[in-house]
Amino acid sequence: MFAWKNTLGWLAFLLFLISLIFFAENIYKNQRCKKAEIVIETKLEGHFITKDDINNLLTENGNKPIIGTKFNFLNFAKLERNILKNRLVKSCQISRTLGGNLLIKVTQKNPIARIVSLAGSSEKFEGFYLDDEGGLFPLSPNFTKRVVLVSGKYLVGKRNLKLNKDKNIIDFIAKINADSFWNANITHIIIDEDQNINFLPLVGDFLFEYGIPMEDDFESKMRKIKVFYSQISAEDKERYQMISVKYQNQIVCQLKDITI
């Protein structure tokens, strides 16, 4: 008798549990979105893209509202693709919370340089950043990031710098950005058609000739340049036309032609 009552009790509990699960699942399926929580993750001190921009992409400029819509009718993969159409966005992940909100996590792209095109004798900003993966993306009206300028014949016709042969260029720029001294003192990098790198300093009307960037020569070459650049006066800097470390174990200083 006791065993029978015990079994009946367990069956009743099981039926209650199944009913509870069914009830909860029914509520979950019919739950409507209460709020869109937008989180923009960035390494920068500002945002290229705003929450309003993300919301417009989510709702297709208000034509397909999210708030009040059943989650069953929301295609998360499609919403993510809509947001990724903005070229300032690196990645997007959308999920729902237990509280009935839509959580949108967006990571914006990280620029390491700004592309400059030489048009005749004048310089024209092309309106593109170079990101840390070698991709190009447009400037933003919301925020401008101060980064080194990059130009040169090597960039002509390029849609990105993602080929294997471009990796040393991306690494070179990344190392410049990671060094507080060079990040503050190099304003413009010029890459010729053979990948030779030259760059212009913040102080001094002369050119540094670096050569083709190689994986293991950055520290040795930049150490030579740093010794030279740190030890001469601002007045002496104006006397030079070019400082070259293109060839290994050499530093060549070329003075300007002086006309009397």
Side-chain angles (χ1 to χ4, degrees):
M1 185 69 176
F2 177 78
W4 180 81
K5 286 184 177 180
N6 190 43
T7 302
L8 188 63
W10 275 109
L11 285 173
F13 175 75
L14 186 61
L15 286 172
F16 171 76
L17 188 61
I18 292 172
S19 299
L20 189 64
I21 292 172
F22 178 79
F23 180 72
E25 185 177 357
N26 191 53
I27 293 176
Y28 189 78
K29 283 182 177 179
N30 291 285
Q31 191 177 39
R32 296 177 183 271
C33 179
K34 296 178 182 178
K35 180 183 177 182
E37 298 180 5
I38 299 172
V39 178
I40 301 175
E41 299 175 339
T42 178
K43 299 177 181 178
L44 308 176
E45 61 272 20
H47 291 109
F48 290 134
I49 190 166
T50 66
K51 291 184 178 182
D52 286 340
D53 295 331
I54 300 298
N55 189 61
N56 286 336
L57 292 167
L58 275 174
T59 63
E60 297 184 14
N61 294 318
N63 294 318
K64 294 185 178 181
I66 297 293
I67 308 301
T69 301
K70 287 185 178 181
F71 279 104
N72 278 356
F73 298 147
L74 296 178
N75 186 328
F76 288 10
K78 182 180 178 182
L79 293 176
E80 289 174 353
R81 288 195 297 270
N82 286 345
I83 292 174
L84 289 170
K85 288 177 182 177
N86 189 301
R87 295 176 63 191
L88 301 172
V89 175
K90 180 178 182 179
S91 64
C92 175
Q93 185 177 12
I94 295 179
S95 59
R96 64 186 288 185
T97 69
L98 292 176
N101 297 333
L102 191 70
L103 179 61
I104 305 102
K105 289 186 177 181
V106 173
T107 302
Q108 66 180 14
K109 292 184 178 178
N110 180 38
I112 61 172
R114 185 168 173 172
I115 302 300
V116 175
S117 175
L118 296 180
S121 59
S122 63
E123 294 180 357
K124 181 182 72 175
F125 291 103
E126 286 287 72
F128 285 95
Y129 285 119
L130 177 69
D131 68 26
D132 48 8
E133 295 179 348
L136 300 180
F137 65 98
L139 305 184
S140 167
N142 303 310
F143 172 68
T144 299
K145 169 65 176 176
R146 180 197 170 276
V147 286
V148 65
L149 304 179
V150 178
S151 68
K153 292 182 179 180
Y154 186 75
L155 301 175
V156 175
K158 297 281 185 183
R159 301 185 67 178
N160 58 61
L161 292 179
K162 293 187 175 183
L163 298 177
N164 286 336
K165 66 177 183 177
D166 299 327
K167 186 178 184 301
N168 284 342
I169 293 175
I170 300 300
D171 288 346
F172 176 85
I173 298 173
K175 288 174 181 176
I176 292 296
N177 291 337
D179 187 296
S180 59
F181 179 84
W182 291 120
N183 182 254
N185 284 285
I186 293 179
T187 61
H188 191 160
I189 295 171
I190 304 163
I191 310 171
D192 72 13
E193 61 268 32
D194 298 319
Q195 281 196 337
N196 285 293
I197 284 180
N198 298 323
F199 55 86
L200 300 171
L202 180 65
V203 178
D205 183 25
F206 56 88
L207 191 72
F208 281 115
E209 185 181 45
Y210 182 89
I212 297 175
M214 304 298 289
E215 185 177 354
D216 301 324
D217 64 3
F218 181 86
E219 294 297 333
S220 60
K221 284 189 174 183
M222 297 307 283
R223 189 183 305 113
K224 295 173 192 172
I225 295 176
K226 193 171 186 178
V227 169
F228 167 84
Y229 193 71
S230 301
Q231 292 187 358
I232 64 173
S233 66
E235 182 179 340
D236 286 336
K237 285 183 173 72
E238 299 303 322
R239 299 172 53 217
Y240 291 96
Q241 178 174 316
M242 185 181 69
I243 311 299
S244 176
V245 291
K246 182 176 180 178
Y247 300 105
Q248 196 170 13
N249 300 322
Q250 292 185 24
I251 179 167
V252 179
C253 303
Q254 181 179 341
L255 292 171
K256 292 178 181 177
D257 293 331
I258 301 174
T259 304
I260 301 177

